[in-house]
Amino acid sequence: MTANSHLRDANTLMKLEAELLAPYAVRSLESEGREHPELPAKTRTPFQRDWHRITHCQAFRKLEFKTQVFTYSAGGEFGEVVRNRLTHTLEVSQIATSIARALGLNEDLASAIALAHDLGHPPFGHSGEEELKELVASFNHSSHSLKIVRYLEKRYPAFPGLNLTKETLEGIEKHETDFDKVKHYEFHPTEMPPLEAQVVSCADLIAYRAHDVEDGLVSEVLKYEHFERAGLKLWDRVYRTLADVDDQRVQMAQLSRGLINALIEDLTAETARRLRQNRIHSLAEVRAFSDDLVGFSHEIEQDVRGLGEVLMENFYKSPPVVRMTSRGKMILRELYHAYRNNPLLLPDEVRDSYRQAEERNEEPTRVLADYLAGMTDRYAEKEYHQLFTV
């Protein structure tokens, strides 16, 4: 036996993948390929290569300094233990790959979509996106994530962007949650996305519901009583086993863990039931189906909505959070108007894009929105102080 007899090249890995995956999963061997011609990797599947490229790009690194709920500058107030956009993204990837593995789906594709799903998110959380949408109606962070990986990242001499597979690009484009709805699609516009993309959308929901509960309790903005009064069966089932835990840090961590586990178990069971009930046996049947196949049971879906209502009324709308998010919105608004009134304040490359958009009768304000979305919290704060304070 030679030393390299167990070496698995890309073709071997893709054949093994094809044998192991469920019939309705996306297979690397059947990928539609990339937008720009490129030699395949020798020892990695196409989707594995995608998520590797995403984790090395500049937009991914910026996520560390972008808000999830609490602004980056407020982190020290709560011991710097609450989530940011990067830790949220990593949690979504972990949850998505766990679900994908249980359902026999392509974990690498799910990971790629998950790791890229928030690349286009602006600073200051959802309030930052709300402000940019008020200023430039066409802005949407999912479509901006797609723009980043296709055009804005500059890492290769032969093409713009990251040159990801079309399956990953479709998953990024069709990523949707209660906060984000994209109405117009470029990739398979009349079809449903593959199950891997549907899984990431649900994993995103699971992650932010569970970790916002924990972050709200850690920050002491939320109290256990807020959830107990809501009468949610999911909360009672998870919290009942933790009521006697003395260490509150352990209790909070186990609460988040319990919620995630319960939601994953329900989602995988319900999705498997839908696949059986609707006799789904191929990717083509997934695409042709008229609704999402990945989802929660009715009872759990109601409780997930109930958790969201508790968080909205007692956390997202709480004075500490509103003060932070209002400041973030004000910073983005003031920067936007400053740049629009005086494009000379913009970096050379952004200013050139702004003028070119004007010359082509396109939407120059979208250039400003894209530039602002690429800022981290701390960079936007720094820019604001340089322009408006002495």
Side-chain angles (χ1 to χ4, degrees), residues 61-172:
R61 296 195 294 275
K62 287 182 178 181
L63 295 175
E64 181 179 3
F65 303 107
K66 289 190 175 186
T67 291
Q68 182 61 28
V69 175
F70 291 105
T71 59
Y72 176 78
S73 61
E77 186 178 342
F78 306 109
E80 297 185 348
V81 294
V82 294
R83 271 76 173 183
N84 56 48
R85 191 63 58 177
L86 177 60
T87 56
H88 163 70
T89 295
L90 296 174
E91 290 181 20
V92 174
S93 178
Q94 178 266 308
I95 293 169
T97 53
S98 296
I99 296 170
R101 183 176 298 172
L103 293 171
L105 304 178
N106 196 310
E107 295 174 49
D108 286 322
L109 176 57
S111 180
I113 297 168
L115 291 169
H117 85 279
D118 265 355
L119 291 180
H121 218 293
F124 309 118
H126 286 287
S127 62
E129 179 166 18
E130 290 168 5
E131 185 62 32
L132 283 187
K133 284 181 177 179
E134 285 290 323
L135 296 167
V136 183
S138 65
F139 182 82
N140 175 279
H141 94 258
S142 290
S143 61
H144 188 54
S145 295
L146 190 67
K147 189 174 184 178
I148 287 170
V149 299
R150 293 180 81 188
Y151 306 115
L152 299 183
E153 281 285 335
K154 308 294 183 185
R155 297 186 62 83
Y156 303 96
F159 47 78
L162 304 180
N163 199 26
L164 305 178
T165 60
K166 293 178 183 178
E167 290 80 7
T168 296
L169 295 175
E170 179 188 8
I172 297 169

Side-chain angles (χ1 to χ4, degrees), residues 8 11 13 46 50 52 81 98 104 116-117 132 158 164 201 213 292 304 331-332 341 363 374 384:
R8 296 177 175 181
N11 286 330
L13 290 172
D50 279 357
H52 290 175
V81 294
S98 296
H117 85 279
L132 283 187
L164 305 178
S201 292
V213 168
D292 288 321
V304 170
I331 289 172
L332 289 178
N341 292 333
E363 188 181 13
Y384 176 82

Side-chain angles (χ1 to χ4, degrees), residues 164-182:
L164 305 178
T165 60
K166 293 178 183 178
E167 290 80 7
T168 296
L169 295 175
E170 179 188 8
I172 297 169
E173 181 182 46
K174 293 181 178 178
H175 177 75
E176 291 189 341
T177 67
D178 293 339
F179 291 103
D180 310 294
K181 300 293 182 183
V182 182

Side-chain angles (χ1 to χ4, degrees), residues 214 218 224 242 245-258:
E214 184 180 357
V218 167
Y224 288 96
L242 303 171
V245 176
D246 293 330
D247 191 324
Q248 195 173 38
R249 293 168 301 179
V250 174
Q251 189 181 62
M252 290 178 187
Q254 288 299 307
L255 178 60
S256 177
R257 174 176 177 265

Side-chain angles (χ1 to χ4, degrees), residues 49 54 127 131 136 184 186 222 235 246 278 287 323 335 340 345 360 369:
R49 198 180 192 188
I54 292 163
S127 62
E131 185 62 32
V136 183
H184 304 288
E186 181 175 345
L222 285 177
W235 173 270
D246 293 330
N278 295 289
R287 288 192 174 282
R323 278 196 294 269
L335 289 176
R340 189 171 185 186
L345 295 172
R360 293 192 297 263

